[in-house]
Amino acid sequence: MSRKINLVKGIIIALFLGMSLLKQSVSALTNNLLLQATQSNYNLNSEVNIDLRVNTSTSISGLSVTVVFMSSQLEFITSTDAGSEFPVLYAETPDQGTVTIVRARESGSVTGNRFVTTLKFKAISNTSNAVVEATGTANANNSPLSLAKGSVSL
């Protein structure tokens, strides 16, 4: 009888821990940045376009994103606002291997999977195994909302 009680306790504890981990995983997935390359192969000196999206369950009106890339493989050119849910560009600050972009909506806020911008790079060497990562925060009702990192491998 004691073994059955211990087994039941163990199952309950395992279920509780599993649900806690699942809740953390779902929470992390609901406020994140997403990067997607628009094509799969790049030649030397070709343009490399990467779409930046944000996926959030919390209403946001703007965001600040820092993009990190291999400066030996890619050169940042610009970001575009065509089709962006965040068309107002407040800052685009490139540096060696990084660019920080601050964008906002003209009015209101949004939730869900939303297009932010297309990042345009130039391939200055072989881009195989090049990784681009994005981290950032969003403006959620005048409070910062951390966004989970997004990345893409070329």
Side-chain angles (χ1 to χ4, degrees):
M1 183 73 159
S2 172
R3 285 177 41 190
K4 284 185 180 181
I5 292 174
N6 287 336
L7 179 62
V8 170
K9 285 181 183 178
I11 291 172
I12 291 172
I13 290 171
L15 287 173
F16 177 74
L17 291 173
M19 289 178 12
S20 296
L21 291 173
L22 179 62
K23 182 179 177 183
Q24 289 174 358
S25 297
V26 170
S27 175
L29 293 176
T30 57
N31 297 311
N32 62 342
L33 295 167
L34 308 165
L35 292 172
Q36 181 177 12
T38 60
Q39 61 193 81
S40 57
N41 295 319
Y42 301 96
N43 296 319
L44 183 63
N45 296 317
S46 67
E47 190 171 276
V48 176
N49 294 320
I50 298 174
D51 288 342
L52 171 64
R53 303 183 72 86
V54 62
N55 187 28
T56 177
S57 60
T58 304
S59 292
I60 62 170
S61 59
L63 64 164
S64 174
V65 177
T66 298
V67 178
V68 179
F69 55 93
M70 301 292 293
S71 61
S72 62
Q73 295 173 307
L74 299 169
E75 176 184 308
F76 179 74
I77 301 170
T78 191
S79 66
T80 65
D81 63 359
S84 176
E85 294 274 351
F86 304 89
V88 180
L89 178 63
Y90 284 106
E92 182 176 277
T93 312
D95 200 355
Q96 189 71 15
T98 67
V99 61
T100 299
I101 298 170
V102 180
R103 288 187 166 273
R105 294 180 51 76
E106 292 173 350
S107 64
S109 58
V110 293
T111 61
N113 188 330
R114 304 297 180 143
F115 176 69
V116 177
T117 189
T118 297
L119 304 165
K120 295 185 177 285
F121 297 89
K122 178 181 175 183
I124 58 175
S125 72
N126 182 349
T127 60
S128 65
N129 300 320
V131 176
V132 178
E133 296 179 335
T135 58
T137 58
N139 179 1
N141 198 25
N142 295 322
S143 296
L145 174 68
S146 293
L147 301 170
K149 178 172 64 174
S151 67
V152 64
S153 298
L154 303 179

